[in-house]
Amino acid sequence: MNTHLDLLRQPLTPRHSILRLSALGCVLAALAGCGSDPGDEQPSSSGTGGGESPTPGASSSTSGAGGAGTGGAIPAGSGGGVTASTGSDTGAGGDMTATGSGGAPATGTGGGGGSPVRCDLPTTYRWKSGQPVINAKAPAGRTFVSAKDPTIVFFDDKYHVFATVFETTAGSDGWKSVYLNFTDFDQANSATQHYMAGWPTGSTVAPQVFYFRPHNKWYLIYQWNGRYSTNDDINNMNGWSRPQTLLRGEPGQMGNTLGALDFWVICDDDNCHLFFSRDDGKLYRSKVSIDNFPNFDGYEVVMTAPSSGLLFEASNVYKIDGSNKYLLLVEAFDNSPRFFRSWTSESLDGPWTPLADTKANPFAGPANVTFEGGKWTDDISHGELVRSGYDERMTLDPCDLRFLYQGRDPNVGGDYSRLPYKLGLLTLEK
């Protein structure tokens, strides 16, 4: 098992030297003293560790959502290299982050996404959650035990959600996906959930969805392996293309380290960045010029933690409206239910500075979430913030923070894949 010191000279995959590994800097001293069980790399019976690892014959995939910014074409359906710097290890248990130089950030204001800045990104967070807003709802003849890994985008006066489900119907290979849309969250649970296994995409596990303005197309990013599909109109459920490879030289499973999962794309003015995890306490990134998107090739380590649970899965990266600031979220656990840690940077190349990044002071977790109508989950797990836009810049309004997340009854244990996850909505308390 690698330690955080192993990252000082982590090479890219041999034939993909398009990206140079940044040296590591910026110790995250807030992690001092944190730790996890040695077995955290594997799914646990309680569901604290582990993720949706593929099973033989599975045809599942992942995708996510994106923001928007100034100008750009209106979607159908509506009216560089990294420069190394020297890092230091000065805190016990601290994460180390890669740093470098990159393209100038987009403003993210006006147009199809983003808003002028009205307030600053908070440094501490208090959230409230109601009861689940989306439960697994299978079509006739099928049985789903969970709804999870949501991506959400607001476009054409409605929310569009893609999510993972786990199917237990005899003969099923397990991980599948659904699509639904609704005009407000009080209608979300009654919305029709369209089963995607028969779509050209096949199932899209852990998805991300966004509109890529240079191509005038919607992109759906998903696993396994990293794949993508495109569509001219997000409202056209039959318009998605067949899967294509997202990342050349993608890392595969090595012992207890999983292959790449939970892919997330965000672009600045010059480059597109692909973040992903492997359940090994590291966060990874690939990078390509915006003109060459989505032809990602090779990868590097962004940061590492002293235990696998402290940099786990479900990374999200957003551009803060009206500023040059980016927000990075990564799901974590520390002998505990799941929570989200956070960092900020003025460049997608880093360095990343801790924001709310501990179990006691998380971005979102059991320590800072209260429930209306009774607590129904301990986990604040894989989800996505509701963006202010819909394109590749992944813009976020810090005055209106809402987080669609997965949670589950903590009293139900057993195999991870069969845990009864549902989708809830966090709203930041002012």
Side-chain angles (χ1 to χ4, degrees), residues 158-294:
K158 56 182 175 281
Y159 294 97
H160 302 262
V161 172
F162 296 81
T164 306
V165 295
F166 189 81
E167 184 178 356
T168 57
T169 310
S172 169
D173 53 14
W175 299 110
K176 302 292 186 181
S177 56
V178 296
Y179 162 77
L180 60 154
N181 63 68
F182 48 88
T183 58
D184 208 342
F185 281 98
D186 60 4
Q187 303 170 0
N189 206 36
S190 61
T192 300
Q193 296 182 16
H194 301 276
Y195 184 55
M196 294 177 59
W199 290 21
T201 60
S203 288
T204 59
V205 172
Q208 183 198 13
V209 67
F210 59 90
Y211 184 73
F212 188 64
R213 294 168 304 133
H215 295 174
N216 297 333
K217 288 183 181 295
W218 290 91
Y219 273 76
L220 194 58
I221 310 296
Y222 49 95
Q223 64 194 46
W224 295 275
N225 296 315
R227 297 182 289 174
Y228 71 90
S229 296
T230 63
N231 195 343
D232 293 331
D233 181 0
I234 195 173
N235 293 298
N236 179 8
M237 290 182 284
N238 295 316
W240 291 101
S241 68
R242 295 181 62 82
Q244 298 186 63
T245 298
L246 181 66
L247 173 62
R248 292 184 61 200
E250 177 182 322
Q253 183 168 348
M254 296 179 61
N256 291 334
T257 299
L258 297 181
L261 50 82
D262 291 357
F263 298 92
W264 182 272
V265 171
I266 180 173
C267 305
D268 55 30
D269 285 345
D270 301 314
N271 298 292
C272 292
H273 306 252
L274 175 67
F275 292 84
F276 62 92
S277 301
R278 297 180 68 196
D279 287 4
D280 61 349
K282 300 179 180 70
L283 179 65
Y284 297 84
R285 182 189 67 155
S286 185
K287 178 179 174 180
V288 70
S289 70
I290 202 163
D291 293 334
N292 202 30
F293 174 82

Side-chain angles (χ1 to χ4, degrees), residues 47-188:
T48 300
E52 297 82 41
S53 55
T55 56
S59 60
S60 304
S61 37
T62 284
S63 152
T70 307
I74 302 299
S78 97
V82 180
T83 302
S85 65
T86 302
S88 59
D89 186 6
T90 58
D95 288 353
M96 302 182 69
T97 63
T99 183
S101 59
T107 61
T109 59
S115 307
V117 65
R118 294 183 287 124
C119 56
D120 294 328
L121 190 68
T123 56
T124 58
Y125 295 82
R126 301 294 304 178
W127 304 89
K128 63 180 179 181
S129 174
Q131 296 301 293
V133 294
I134 298 175
N135 297 283
K137 188 164 54 178
R142 300 190 179 276
T143 304
F144 298 161
V145 297
S146 61
K148 55 199 310 289
D149 308 335
T151 181
I152 182 169
V153 64
F154 188 76
F155 174 74
D156 204 17
D157 297 323
K158 56 182 175 281
Y159 294 97
H160 302 262
V161 172
F162 296 81
T164 306
V165 295
F166 189 81
E167 184 178 356
T168 57
T169 310
S172 169
D173 53 14
W175 299 110
K176 302 292 186 181
S177 56
V178 296
Y179 162 77
L180 60 154
N181 63 68
F182 48 88
T183 58
D184 208 342
F185 281 98
D186 60 4
Q187 303 170 0

